[in-house]
Amino acid sequence: MSKHESQKEETQTVNEIAKDEVETSTNETACPKCDTQSELVKLTDQIQALTVEVDAKNERILQLEEEIKTINNDYVTRVTQKADEANALLKSKLEEISNKMQQELVIHKKYALEKQAGSLIDVINQFAMALAYKPTDPNIAKYQSGFQMFLTMFKNLLSELGISEISVKIGDEFNPEFMECIEFNHSNELADNKVIKVIASGYKLYDRLIKPAMVNVVRKKS
């Protein structure tokens, strides 16, 4: 039984006792000088009025309790919703950071040989420049043929590592994105800004330039 129901029963018991007393007093006493009956009637009316007021207050308390319960439920729902949104945002950010780190790791592995490859390419270019010399001695020419085979093997090894040679030919337009001009030369055969001599090959690691081609470029005299 709830507190409000208990209070209501107590009030009803008091009313019944008061009514019984009024009826008993009426039966036992008929004295006009005695106003006990009138006082009991007034007391009964007051008790009834208080009972109505208490019932109204109890109803209001119940209403307020329901409103508080609704407010609490709404608050818990909002807090839960915000917590879910925060967790989803945090999960999204963590996945974004993880994906970014994975991408950076892939890129780092992909271009890990960039610095070491630069030194190796310098050696290969020096080797290639030496082999470009055309000897008149047939014995030296035989040695050059053997060394040329080694040079081819070195270039194949670079290719397996993702390092490719940049193709530059005499007569190509000078492109500063992957060429470096060593010297300007005059030419009657080639137009201005054309490659007149390839001194050393350029190389790139996948799509990244690691060594520009060294060239001489035509520059017409003004």
Side-chain angles (χ1 to χ4, degrees), residues 65-80:
E65 288 178 348
E66 287 297 324
E67 291 177 359
I68 292 172
K69 184 178 179 180
T70 301
I71 292 172
N72 288 338
N73 290 337
D74 290 343
Y75 177 77
V76 171
T77 301
R78 290 197 193 99
V79 170
T80 303

Side-chain angles (χ1 to χ4, degrees), residues 55-212:
D55 289 342
K57 290 185 180 296
N58 288 337
E59 290 295 329
R60 180 55 179 164
I61 290 172
L62 290 173
Q63 181 182 358
L64 291 174
E65 288 178 348
E66 287 297 324
E67 291 177 359
I68 292 172
K69 184 178 179 180
T70 301
I71 292 172
N72 288 338
N73 290 337
D74 290 343
Y75 177 77
V76 171
T77 301
R78 290 197 193 99
V79 170
T80 303
Q81 181 180 358
K82 291 297 182 181
D84 291 341
E85 291 175 357
N87 287 333
L89 179 60
L90 179 60
K91 183 179 180 181
S92 175
K93 290 295 182 183
L94 289 175
E95 290 178 353
E96 181 181 343
I97 293 172
S98 177
N99 291 336
K100 185 176 180 180
M101 291 179 65
Q102 289 293 335
Q103 292 175 0
E104 291 178 353
L105 182 59
V106 170
I107 292 174
H108 177 73
K109 289 181 177 179
K110 184 177 180 180
Y111 298 105
L113 296 175
E114 183 174 359
K115 292 183 179 180
Q116 292 83 350
S119 300
L120 180 59
I121 289 170
D122 287 337
V123 175
I124 292 175
N125 278 338
Q126 292 294 328
F127 195 32
M129 290 172 64
L131 292 177
Y133 172 71
K134 302 299 181 182
T136 56
D137 190 333
N139 293 325
I140 297 178
K142 291 181 181 179
Y143 282 116
Q144 275 194 335
S145 297
F147 289 139
Q148 185 66 48
M149 181 179 65
F150 286 120
L151 179 61
T152 302
M153 292 174 62
F154 283 137
K155 289 184 177 181
N156 289 338
L157 175 61
L158 291 179
S159 179
E160 292 176 1
L161 296 174
I163 301 171
S164 58
E165 185 176 3
I166 299 173
S167 177
V168 178
K169 301 183 298 295
I170 294 175
D172 288 348
E173 187 77 17
F174 174 72
N175 189 336
E177 291 185 1
F178 57 87
M179 299 181 191
E180 183 176 339
C181 180
I182 302 302
E183 186 179 353
F184 289 108
N185 298 132
H186 177 72
S187 175
N188 294 322
E189 291 80 17
L190 297 174
D192 197 26
N193 209 44
K194 298 292 184 178
V195 174
I196 192 173
K197 183 179 181 181
V198 179
I199 300 173
S201 297
Y203 289 85
K204 60 182 180 179
L205 178 59
Y206 299 106
D207 57 346
R208 181 178 295 180
L209 179 68
I210 56 176
K211 186 70 64 174

